[in-house]
Amino acid sequence: MAERDIILSLDIGTSNIKLAAVDKTGEIVRLHKRALRLKCPQPGYQEICPTELWDDIESLFKSTCEGIESRIAALGISTHRSTFITWERDTDNYLHNFITWADQRAQKMCDNWNNAYIVRIGQSILQAVGTVVGSTHMICIANFKVQSANAMMRLKWVMENIAAAKPLHDKGNLCFGTLDTWIIYKLTGKATWATDYTNAAATGLYDMWGDRWCPAMSWVFSLPFGALPEVRNSNASFGQISSELNLGFSAPIHGILADQQASVFGNHLFEKGDVKLSLGTSIACDRLTGSYVHPVAMSVYPQIAWKLAGSEIVYMAESMTMELRGKYLDWLVSAKLVDSIKEINNIALSVKSSETPLFIKKDGVNEKPIEEFMVEKSNCTNAHFVRAVMEAHVFRAKILLDDVFDFYGRTDKIIVDGGASSSQFILESLCAVTGIDVYRSNCVEGALMGAFYVTGLGLGWWNTLEDIKLFTELTQISPLKEEDGCTLLEKFKKWKTLTNY
């Protein structure tokens, strides 16, 4: 009988679905992916059809696992956060498509709440009392801003606009699930309806101080408290993949992490103070805070990094862009400024920074010519525009780092991963503009590997986090040589003023 020496790692990102087969040495022996099919039925709406998603997941399982079914020990899952669906418990009928974290249908509801006079007065009182008594919990509530990226207001929208939602909840027949919860529910043949701490906390509905779904939040926003799933440790058992699915194998699901947390875990950042910058579809800066729950400050929010069996919860502070900055690099191709992303490094280095305009667009990509968002663009070529977009990517990352550093102080080094980290120009520019040691992670698939490692811990492949650290590989980046007399830091200050970040 073949040794069960492979963990399957499923990652549902913002843009792609990936499934990897990873062996005990940490080598990815197979990797297949598909584009995540997004739907935009109305302006500001972004959805995922559950039927299409399940078809894609099934297809990935069959193509990835063919011939290695007997070697599969377990499945780990990483998903992007706060995308959710609701369904009828008895029939499994969906009430709507998945509503993604980038969906804006509830933005007006968020604005109305944040600007309400009674809310602002209440938060001012909490801020004063929390400061006097030293309560991080009070200060966090006082500074909390409801965002559409969290699930709470989008779920409130569902309860107010989907006719079947409230009657089903009143009968105890409504189920809520983020991507991980729904995938587990489907894979286990409805046997497990659960999530992990990282995905629960990211919804905005979880009380990180009380370690439970927050009943006060449910009451304040009229949310279906009884429709929320069980919360388990990140390396807990989440049930067995049902043999009735005809995937060719059955294995336990033994690790769940949200995507950013999985990326931190996959890059072996386990110590308090460790900082990771993710340059993916969005940009995120995460700093581990150990047992300390970070109070909401500026654009930095607390998250649960993970909760392992037999250990305390580990927290992190996170600053993240809501705009999809990574799409701007793809825009360079669609705007025909470059033939492929692989060319951008050489093109950017073919012109001087002092001759390059400033790219000041803040919201999503649209149909207007890219040069309309350039400042000081006289006598500029396509190469100048390419460099300007890449420099803006670096500047936006620095904003997030500065937000975290303003609260915790500067760190000696940062680890960078994500698709844009493959750009030597971006990393060298980041090193130059921050003055911090920058290391590129050689773990290209951070989220996939994070799900792999946490699942391996659940299986007992490793006993401690120190065992996992043996897999660490990093490459230090040298700062960009600025030979034309125009420093990136000077340009950053001007860019920041123009964009009003």
Side-chain angles (χ1 to χ4, degrees):
M1 185 175 179
E3 179 187 4
R4 292 191 177 273
D5 63 341
I6 282 178
I7 288 174
L8 294 178
S9 184
L10 176 67
D11 174 37
I12 312 292
T14 301
S15 302
N16 295 291
I17 311 167
K18 301 176 184 177
L19 182 64
V22 191
D23 67 19
K24 280 188 174 181
T25 68
E27 179 182 355
I28 296 177
V29 296
R30 289 187 183 175
L31 174 61
H32 291 89
K33 70 178 181 179
R34 286 174 173 263
L36 183 64
R37 292 188 270 180
L38 298 171
K39 299 182 178 300
C40 301
Q42 297 183 41
Y45 283 41
Q46 190 181 87
E47 302 177 351
I48 303 168
C49 171
T51 303
E52 292 180 353
L53 177 60
W54 183 248
D55 288 345
D56 289 339
I57 291 173
E58 275 193 319
S59 177
L60 285 172
F61 272 119
K62 291 175 181 178
S63 61
T64 304
C65 301
E66 184 178 5
I68 61 170
E69 293 90 346
S70 62
R71 296 174 60 189
I72 297 170
L75 170 69
I77 300 173
S78 162
T79 61
H80 70 254
R81 302 171 302 191
S82 286
T83 290
F84 73 87
I85 194 169
T86 60
W87 67 92
E88 184 177 358
R89 191 191 308 269
D90 290 344
T91 66
D92 295 336
N93 290 333
Y94 309 120
L95 274 63
H96 51 84
N97 285 336
F98 280 98
I99 303 176
T100 77
W101 68 272
D103 187 282
Q104 295 293 306
R105 73 186 68 192
Q107 186 57 55
K108 186 175 180 180
M109 296 168 68
C110 294
D111 293 340
N112 290 342
W113 174 267
N114 291 329
N115 294 324
Y117 182 75
I118 190 170
V119 171
R120 295 166 66 179
I121 291 295
Q123 288 184 320
S124 296
I125 294 171
L126 279 173
Q127 177 72 47
V129 175
T131 301
V132 171
V133 302
S135 170
T136 304
H137 193 180
M138 286 186 177
I139 294 172
C140 188
I141 297 173
N143 288 283
F144 183 74
K145 298 294 183 185
V146 175
Q147 297 180 341
S148 61
N150 298 126
M152 66 178 72
M153 276 302 188
R154 283 177 286 122
L155 180 55
K156 182 175 176 62
W157 182 94
V158 167
M159 299 306 294
E160 293 179 357
N161 291 275
I162 304 296
K166 190 175 186 305
L168 285 174
H169 177 247
D170 292 343
K171 296 176 182 177
N173 201 20
L174 181 68
C175 290
F176 165 94
T178 46
L179 280 165
D180 60 299
T181 302
W182 178 82
I183 292 169
I184 294 166
Y185 187 79
K186 292 280 287 185
L187 286 174
T188 61
K190 303 190 292 184
T192 304
W193 176 41
T195 187
D196 91 304
Y197 280 81
T198 64
N199 283 287
T203 63
L205 297 168
Y206 197 78
D207 180 0
M208 285 184 269
W209 288 264
D211 192 14
R212 59 178 181 171
W213 293 113
C214 183
M217 195 73 73
S218 175
W219 177 77
V220 169
F221 292 102
S222 301
L223 298 177
F225 190 76
L228 302 177
E230 177 190 352
V231 181
R232 299 184 183 179
N233 293 331
S234 301
N235 64 336
S237 171
F238 288 84
Q240 189 84 7
I241 296 175
S242 174
S243 57
E244 296 181 3
L245 295 176
N246 295 318
L247 296 177
F249 72 97
S250 179
I253 304 170
H254 232 306
I256 306 293
L257 285 171
D259 56 354
Q260 290 301 328
Q261 288 88 331
S263 183
V264 171
F265 206 92
N267 282 288
H268 316 142
L269 301 177
F270 303 135
E271 303 298 326
K272 181 178 179 180
D274 284 348
V275 176
K276 186 188 71 66
L277 183 71
S278 181
L279 301 177
T281 304
S282 58
I283 304 175
C285 177
D286 297 297
R287 179 173 182 138
L288 292 180
T289 59
S291 60
Y292 175 70
V293 183
H294 172 83
V296 177
M298 297 169 290
S299 64
V300 186
Y301 283 79
Q303 295 285 357
I304 292 178
W306 53 79
K307 169 67 171 69
L308 303 178
S311 301
E312 297 297 319
I313 295 175
V314 176
Y315 298 93
M316 67 185 194
E318 180 174 87
S319 185
M320 184 175 183
T321 61
M322 292 298 103
E323 70 268 25
L324 305 180
R325 302 295 301 191
K327 294 293 185 182
Y328 294 150
L329 302 183
D330 296 331
W331 197 13
L332 295 174
V333 178
S334 62
K336 298 182 179 180
L337 299 184
V338 298
D339 291 329
S340 73
I341 290 295
K342 295 179 181 179
E343 298 179 339
I344 60 177
N345 277 309
N346 291 335
I347 292 177
L349 289 169
S350 69
V351 294
K352 294 181 178 181
S353 182
S354 60
E355 300 170 349
T356 301
L358 293 170
F359 178 65
I360 59 170
K361 186 167 175 56
K362 293 182 66 173
D363 52 3
V365 175
N366 61 25
E367 300 302 320
K368 292 183 179 180
I370 200 167
E371 56 266 27
E372 288 193 19
F373 303 99
M374 301 290 177
V375 176
E376 301 175 350
K377 60 185 179 182
S378 59
N379 301 317
C380 285
T381 65
N382 285 351
H384 292 101
F385 293 151
V386 170
R387 180 160 183 153
V389 171
M390 295 176 72
E391 287 182 347
H393 205 69
V394 173
F395 297 158
R396 187 66 181 97
K398 177 173 165 53
I399 293 285
L400 298 188
L401 287 166
D402 286 347
D403 286 345
V404 174
F405 294 160
D406 284 347
F407 193 90
Y408 289 101
R410 289 170 63 85
T411 187
D412 294 332
K413 69 176 184 179
I414 58 173
I415 311 300
V416 186
D417 75 346
S421 70
S422 62
S423 166
Q424 190 72 10
F425 173 83
I426 285 178
L427 294 195
E428 289 180 0
S429 299
L430 184 66
C431 187
V433 78
T434 61
I436 296 171
D437 290 341
V438 173
Y439 290 81
R440 176 195 285 122
S441 171
N442 292 346
C443 175
V444 178
E445 301 290 350
L448 277 172
M449 295 306 294
F452 163 72
Y453 288 123
V454 78
T455 302
L457 280 172
L459 289 176
W461 282 11
W462 306 285
N463 296 317
T464 67
L465 298 179
E466 292 300 317
D467 295 337
I468 297 174
K469 279 188 175 181
L470 298 175
F471 294 88
T472 305
E473 293 183 22
L474 300 172
T475 300
Q476 186 168 4
I477 305 299
S478 299
L480 185 72
K481 294 180 180 179
E482 300 175 289
E483 299 174 345
D484 58 5
C486 176
T487 70
L488 280 174
L489 188 56
E490 291 171 349
K491 290 190 72 175
F492 165 74
K493 292 175 181 177
K494 188 171 185 178
W495 176 89
K496 185 178 180 181
T497 299
L498 291 171
T499 54
N500 197 32
Y501 275 115

